[in-house]
mmCIF file of all heavy atoms in Angstrom:
data_model
loop_
_atom_site.group_PDB
_atom_site.id
_atom_site.type_symbol
_atom_site.label_atom_id
_atom_site.label_comp_id
_atom_site.label_asym_id
_atom_site.label_seq_id
_atom_site.Cartn_x
_atom_site.Cartn_y
_atom_site.Cartn_z
ATOM 1 N N GLU T 764 -18.335 -9.874 -1.691
ATOM 2 C CA GLU T 764 -17.867 -9.527 -0.351
ATOM 3 C C GLU T 764 -17.137 -8.184 -0.361
ATOM 4 O O GLU T 764 -17.338 -7.347 0.521
ATOM 5 C CB GLU T 764 -16.933 -10.611 0.192
ATOM 6 C CG GLU T 764 -17.636 -11.868 0.613
ATOM 7 C CD GLU T 764 -16.667 -12.998 0.976
ATOM 8 O OE1 GLU T 764 -15.434 -12.814 0.861
ATOM 9 O OE2 GLU T 764 -17.149 -14.074 1.360
ATOM 10 N N MET T 765 -16.305 -7.981 -1.368
ATOM 11 C CA MET T 765 -15.561 -6.719 -1.472
ATOM 12 C C MET T 765 -16.498 -5.542 -1.722
ATOM 13 O O MET T 765 -16.333 -4.479 -1.133
ATOM 14 C CB MET T 765 -14.505 -6.791 -2.580
ATOM 15 C CG MET T 765 -13.288 -7.564 -2.201
ATOM 16 S SD MET T 765 -12.364 -6.642 -0.952
ATOM 17 C CE MET T 765 -11.077 -7.799 -0.594
ATOM 18 N N VAL T 766 -17.464 -5.712 -2.578
ATOM 19 C CA VAL T 766 -18.440 -4.651 -2.840
ATOM 20 C C VAL T 766 -19.200 -4.337 -1.555
ATOM 21 O O VAL T 766 -19.386 -3.166 -1.199
ATOM 22 C CB VAL T 766 -19.405 -5.055 -3.982
ATOM 23 C CG1 VAL T 766 -20.585 -4.096 -4.065
ATOM 24 C CG2 VAL T 766 -18.660 -5.114 -5.309
ATOM 25 N N ASP T 767 -19.622 -5.371 -0.834
ATOM 26 C CA ASP T 767 -20.357 -5.175 0.416
ATOM 27 C C ASP T 767 -19.516 -4.426 1.445
ATOM 28 O O ASP T 767 -20.021 -3.554 2.158
ATOM 29 C CB ASP T 767 -20.824 -6.511 0.985
ATOM 30 C CG ASP T 767 -21.903 -7.170 0.142
ATOM 31 O OD1 ASP T 767 -22.520 -6.474 -0.699
ATOM 32 O OD2 ASP T 767 -22.116 -8.393 0.308
ATOM 33 N N GLU T 768 -18.222 -4.759 1.514
ATOM 34 C CA GLU T 768 -17.332 -4.064 2.443
ATOM 35 C C GLU T 768 -17.238 -2.575 2.117
ATOM 36 O O GLU T 768 -17.319 -1.730 3.010
ATOM 37 C CB GLU T 768 -15.922 -4.662 2.402
ATOM 38 C CG GLU T 768 -15.797 -6.009 3.050
ATOM 39 C CD GLU T 768 -14.415 -6.607 2.920
ATOM 40 O OE1 GLU T 768 -13.554 -6.063 2.176
ATOM 41 O OE2 GLU T 768 -14.166 -7.637 3.572
ATOM 42 N N ILE T 769 -17.075 -2.264 0.847
ATOM 43 C CA ILE T 769 -16.974 -0.866 0.434
ATOM 44 C C ILE T 769 -18.274 -0.128 0.749
ATOM 45 O O ILE T 769 -18.257 1.009 1.232
ATOM 46 C CB ILE T 769 -16.614 -0.739 -1.065
ATOM 47 C CG1 ILE T 769 -15.203 -1.275 -1.317
ATOM 48 C CG2 ILE T 769 -16.755 0.695 -1.554
ATOM 49 C CD1 ILE T 769 -14.115 -0.523 -0.583
ATOM 50 N N LEU T 770 -19.400 -0.762 0.495
ATOM 51 C CA LEU T 770 -20.691 -0.140 0.805
ATOM 52 C C LEU T 770 -20.834 0.115 2.307
ATOM 53 O O LEU T 770 -21.318 1.176 2.721
ATOM 54 C CB LEU T 770 -21.840 -0.997 0.288
ATOM 55 C CG LEU T 770 -21.974 -1.066 -1.232
ATOM 56 C CD1 LEU T 770 -23.041 -2.086 -1.630
ATOM 57 C CD2 LEU T 770 -22.288 0.303 -1.810
ATOM 58 N N THR T 771 -20.403 -0.832 3.119
ATOM 59 C CA THR T 771 -20.462 -0.675 4.574
ATOM 60 C C THR T 771 -19.621 0.500 5.034
ATOM 61 O O THR T 771 -20.073 1.348 5.812
ATOM 62 C CB THR T 771 -20.006 -1.969 5.266
ATOM 63 O OG1 THR T 771 -20.898 -3.026 4.931
ATOM 64 C CG2 THR T 771 -19.978 -1.798 6.791
ATOM 65 N N VAL T 772 -18.390 0.571 4.526
ATOM 66 C CA VAL T 772 -17.483 1.664 4.914
ATOM 67 C C VAL T 772 -18.052 2.999 4.440
ATOM 68 O O VAL T 772 -17.999 3.999 5.169
ATOM 69 C CB VAL T 772 -16.069 1.419 4.363
ATOM 70 C CG1 VAL T 772 -15.191 2.636 4.520
ATOM 71 C CG2 VAL T 772 -15.438 0.217 5.039
ATOM 72 N N THR T 773 -18.610 3.025 3.242
ATOM 73 C CA THR T 773 -19.193 4.258 2.717
ATOM 74 C C THR T 773 -20.360 4.713 3.571
ATOM 75 O O THR T 773 -20.485 5.903 3.893
ATOM 76 C CB THR T 773 -19.635 4.056 1.254
ATOM 77 O OG1 THR T 773 -18.496 3.668 0.480
ATOM 78 C CG2 THR T 773 -20.225 5.322 0.667
ATOM 79 N N ARG T 774 -21.198 3.782 3.964
ATOM 80 C CA ARG T 774 -22.339 4.139 4.831
ATOM 81 C C ARG T 774 -21.851 4.709 6.158
ATOM 82 O O ARG T 774 -22.375 5.709 6.662
ATOM 83 C CB ARG T 774 -23.231 2.927 5.078
ATOM 84 C CG ARG T 774 -24.111 2.569 3.909
ATOM 85 C CD ARG T 774 -25.068 1.420 4.253
ATOM 86 N NE ARG T 774 -25.556 0.802 3.039
ATOM 87 C CZ ARG T 774 -25.158 -0.373 2.571
ATOM 88 N NH1 ARG T 774 -24.273 -1.101 3.229
ATOM 89 N NH2 ARG T 774 -25.646 -0.857 1.460
ATOM 90 N N LEU T 775 -20.841 4.063 6.739
ATOM 91 C CA LEU T 775 -20.296 4.527 8.028
ATOM 92 C C LEU T 775 -19.676 5.915 7.905
ATOM 93 O O LEU T 775 -19.802 6.745 8.795
ATOM 94 C CB LEU T 775 -19.263 3.531 8.552
ATOM 95 C CG LEU T 775 -19.795 2.210 9.047
ATOM 96 C CD1 LEU T 775 -18.655 1.252 9.341
ATOM 97 C CD2 LEU T 775 -20.662 2.410 10.294
ATOM 98 N N SER T 776 -19.021 6.171 6.791
ATOM 99 C CA SER T 776 -18.357 7.473 6.627
ATOM 100 C C SER T 776 -19.351 8.599 6.374
ATOM 101 O O SER T 776 -19.019 9.767 6.555
ATOM 102 C CB SER T 776 -17.326 7.419 5.498
ATOM 103 O OG SER T 776 -17.949 7.323 4.232
ATOM 104 N N ASN T 777 -20.565 8.252 5.988
ATOM 105 C CA ASN T 777 -21.579 9.271 5.732
ATOM 106 C C ASN T 777 -22.450 9.566 6.939
ATOM 107 O O ASN T 777 -23.386 10.356 6.848
ATOM 108 C CB ASN T 777 -22.453 8.862 4.539
ATOM 109 C CG ASN T 777 -21.699 8.950 3.245
ATOM 110 O OD1 ASN T 777 -20.826 9.798 3.064
ATOM 111 N ND2 ASN T 777 -22.002 8.061 2.312
ATOM 112 N N LYS T 778 -22.176 8.920 8.055
ATOM 113 C CA LYS T 778 -22.979 9.143 9.281
ATOM 114 C C LYS T 778 -22.459 10.354 10.018
ATOM 115 O O LYS T 778 -21.376 10.759 9.976
ATOM 116 C CB LYS T 778 -22.930 7.929 10.184
ATOM 117 C CG LYS T 778 -23.792 6.798 9.642
ATOM 118 C CD LYS T 778 -23.889 5.711 10.663
ATOM 119 C CE LYS T 778 -24.887 4.668 10.163
ATOM 120 N NZ LYS T 778 -25.180 3.670 11.130
#
Side-chain angles (χ1 to χ4, degrees):
E764 286 172 358
M765 283 291 176
V766 168
D767 291 343
E768 287 177 351
I769 294 298
L770 291 173
T771 297
V772 169
T773 301
R774 284 185 199 105
L775 289 172
S776 71
N777 289 327
K778 285 189 173 187

